């Protein structure tokens, strides 16, 4: 007869189907599976919110969860201002957790409530890029020849020219960049999948100017004034400070990635190459950019169509 060992046995001895205990076990399993830190944080935050809601409903055990209680949580998210993408993300995490629990614990007589809950629909919102006029204004604040100005200018050029996720950008090392050919090896891509992206002549020139000003031997590409690797929050705060100085609305770091995608397609790039450059596992998100390009074409024909302008 098989006996349960390790984490499962410890849980059995603790509180059978106690929800917080199994959530923690799920997170341990994900970490043991070598999931990326960003993915682990995503799971933890979403499940923390779910546990908080369950606590308000006096739900402490998995056996108390029902399709109705999960649907009510989805409604609660909507009522508290979460957009459709955030609600769908919460649903995916709960689904992953409950399916894992079903496989891990093999609870006798338990029916997984997630099987009866339909995934919430996602409203396909326009994926707005950063406003290039505002970016020009921000770049105007980086015209100095000091270390910080050169660094900030190089970061903005690189984000515009590569479509990198900000988390990928901050993890770059100097050794990952070929400033002559413009190749950049992204070692820490989403899902731990490496890929190569490229920067053009203008961006290479700006990055080389920044590298010449560096004095630290820290391997990280983007450094703070103290010589440490710049963190994601540090990059975000840099854009905020520059935006305030320029007197423009602060663009999100992700909006630079959207700018790259739309500009690439509008300049005639093909979607399959773009998929590889951006590190997307499928074309679902990129199809939304294509829809916006189709709208560009429709507006263009409406304005310049030959027959209507006879």
């Amino acid at each position: 007869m098989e006996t349960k060992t390790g984490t499962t046995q410890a849980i059995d001895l603790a509180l059978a189907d106690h929800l917080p205990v199994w959530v923690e076990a799920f997170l341990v399993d994900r970490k043991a599976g070598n999931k990326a830190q960003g993915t682990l944080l995503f799971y933890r935050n979403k499940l923390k919110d779910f546990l908080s809601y369950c606590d308000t409903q006096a739900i402490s055990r998995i056996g108390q969860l029902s399709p109705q209680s999960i649907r009510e949580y989805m409604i609660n998210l909507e009522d508290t201002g979460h957009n459709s993408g955030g609600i769908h993300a919460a649903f995916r995490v709960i689904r992953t957790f409950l399916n894992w629990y079903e496989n891990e614990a093999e609870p006798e007589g338990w029916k997984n409530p997630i099987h009866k809950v339909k995934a919430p629909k996602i409203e396909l919102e326009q994926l707005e890029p950063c406003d290039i006029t505002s970016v020009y204004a921000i770049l105007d604040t980086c015209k100095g020849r000091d270390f910080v100005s050169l660094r900030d200018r190089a970061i903005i050029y690189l984000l515009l020219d590569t479509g990198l996720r900000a988390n990928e950008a901050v993890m770059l090392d100097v050794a990952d960049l070929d400033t002559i050919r413009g190749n950049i090896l992204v070692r820490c891509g989403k899902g731990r999948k490496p890929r190569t992206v490229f920067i053009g002549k203008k961006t290479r020139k700006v990055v080389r100017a920044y590298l010449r000003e560096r004095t630290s031997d820290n391997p990280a590409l983007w450094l703070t004034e103290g010589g440490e690797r710049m963190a994601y929050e540090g990059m975000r705060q840099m854009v905020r400070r520059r935006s305030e100085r320029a007197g423009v609305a602060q663009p999100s770091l992700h909006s630079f990635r959207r700018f790259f995608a739309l500009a690439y397609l509008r300049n005639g790039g093909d979607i399959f190459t773009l998929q590889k450059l951006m590190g997307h596992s499928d074309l679902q998100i990129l199809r939304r950019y294509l829809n916006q390009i189709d709208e560009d074409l429709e507006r263009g024909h409406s304005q310049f169509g030959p027959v209507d302008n006879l």
Side-chain angles (χ1 to χ4, degrees):
M1 177 177 177
E2 283 190 18
T3 58
K4 294 181 181 178
T5 59
T7 303
T8 304
Q9 184 181 44
I11 292 172
D12 288 346
L13 294 173
L15 283 168
D17 67 343
H18 192 58
L19 185 54
V21 173
W22 279 101
V23 163
E24 194 58 39
F26 168 76
L27 295 172
V28 169
D29 178 83
R30 299 294 99 167
K31 187 173 183 179
N34 202 29
K35 294 293 184 182
Q37 286 299 315
T39 302
L40 293 173
L41 184 61
F42 175 73
Y43 281 137
R44 182 171 291 279
N45 288 340
K46 295 300 181 186
L47 288 171
K48 180 182 177 182
D49 291 342
F50 182 55
L51 286 177
S52 295
Y53 172 81
C54 287
D55 189 54
T56 66
Q57 305 300 307
I59 296 173
S60 61
R61 296 181 180 275
I62 295 179
Q64 293 175 274
L65 291 173
S66 66
Q68 184 64 15
S69 63
I70 295 172
R71 294 185 192 108
E72 288 173 353
Y73 178 58
M74 298 295 109
I75 294 171
N76 176 263
L77 290 176
E78 183 177 7
D79 291 344
T80 52
H82 291 74
N83 62 27
S84 62
I87 296 170
H88 196 275
F91 171 82
R92 294 197 309 273
V93 171
I94 295 169
R95 180 178 60 191
T96 301
F97 164 65
L98 289 177
N99 287 340
W100 170 85
Y101 169 77
E102 183 177 26
N103 181 67
E104 178 79 6
E106 299 179 352
E108 188 175 348
W110 179 76
K111 293 184 179 180
N112 191 340
I114 203 68
H115 295 330
K116 292 189 176 182
V117 182
K118 291 183 179 180
K121 291 184 178 180
I122 299 180
E123 296 177 6
L124 294 181
E125 302 169 353
Q126 288 276 59
L127 298 173
E128 294 298 333
C130 55
D131 175 47
I132 196 60
T133 303
S134 296
V135 173
Y136 287 147
I138 292 170
L139 287 171
D140 280 342
T141 72
C142 308
K143 287 185 174 180
R145 303 303 299 174
D146 58 288
F147 170 81
V148 172
S149 294
L150 291 169
R151 180 201 65 191
D152 294 356
R153 187 175 182 84
I155 288 173
I156 293 169
Y157 264 79
L158 181 129
L159 292 176
L160 288 172
D161 210 13
T162 62
L164 283 178
R165 301 175 179 92
N167 279 323
E168 295 170 339
V170 297
M171 292 305 297
L172 291 175
D173 288 340
V174 175
D176 298 331
L177 172 64
D178 182 341
T179 58
I180 305 302
R181 297 175 59 196
N183 307 23
I184 299 177
L185 176 60
V186 183
R187 301 178 189 274
C188 300
K190 191 172 183 180
R192 299 185 183 275
K193 296 176 182 177
R195 70 183 189 281
T196 300
V197 298
F198 304 88
I199 52 176
K201 293 180 180 179
K202 291 182 180 179
T203 303
R204 280 178 247 166
K205 182 177 180 181
V206 171
V207 172
R208 284 197 295 265
Y210 156 67
L211 291 175
R212 285 195 295 269
E213 190 65 23
R214 283 175 44 127
T215 56
S216 172
D217 59 359
N218 190 312
L221 178 58
W222 308 117
L223 300 180
T224 65
E225 290 182 88
E228 301 297 322
R229 182 185 295 274
M230 177 180 277
Y232 174 93
E233 184 60 23
M235 189 172 287
R236 193 178 71 83
Q237 290 299 325
M238 178 275 287
V239 174
R240 179 186 61 79
R241 288 193 299 271
R242 291 291 178 185
S243 300
E244 290 176 352
R245 192 177 301 179
V248 298
Q250 176 187 346
S252 70
L253 291 175
H254 207 71
S255 69
F256 291 94
R257 182 169 164 83
R258 294 169 182 160
F259 172 86
F260 169 79
L262 281 168
Y264 185 90
L265 292 172
R266 284 170 177 157
N267 289 334
D270 72 275
I271 193 169
F272 298 105
T273 302
L274 179 61
Q275 178 187 3
K276 293 179 180 179
L277 290 173
M278 295 190 72
H280 281 301
S281 58
D282 59 55
L283 293 174
Q284 183 178 356
I285 295 295
L286 292 181
R287 285 194 181 99
R288 295 169 66 182
Y289 290 115
L290 275 180
N291 288 340
Q292 287 174 250
I293 301 303
D294 288 343
E295 289 173 10
D296 290 345
L297 296 174
E298 183 179 356
R299 284 194 298 269
H301 186 273
S302 176
Q303 185 175 357
F304 302 111
V307 174
D308 286 348
N309 283 284
L310 288 176

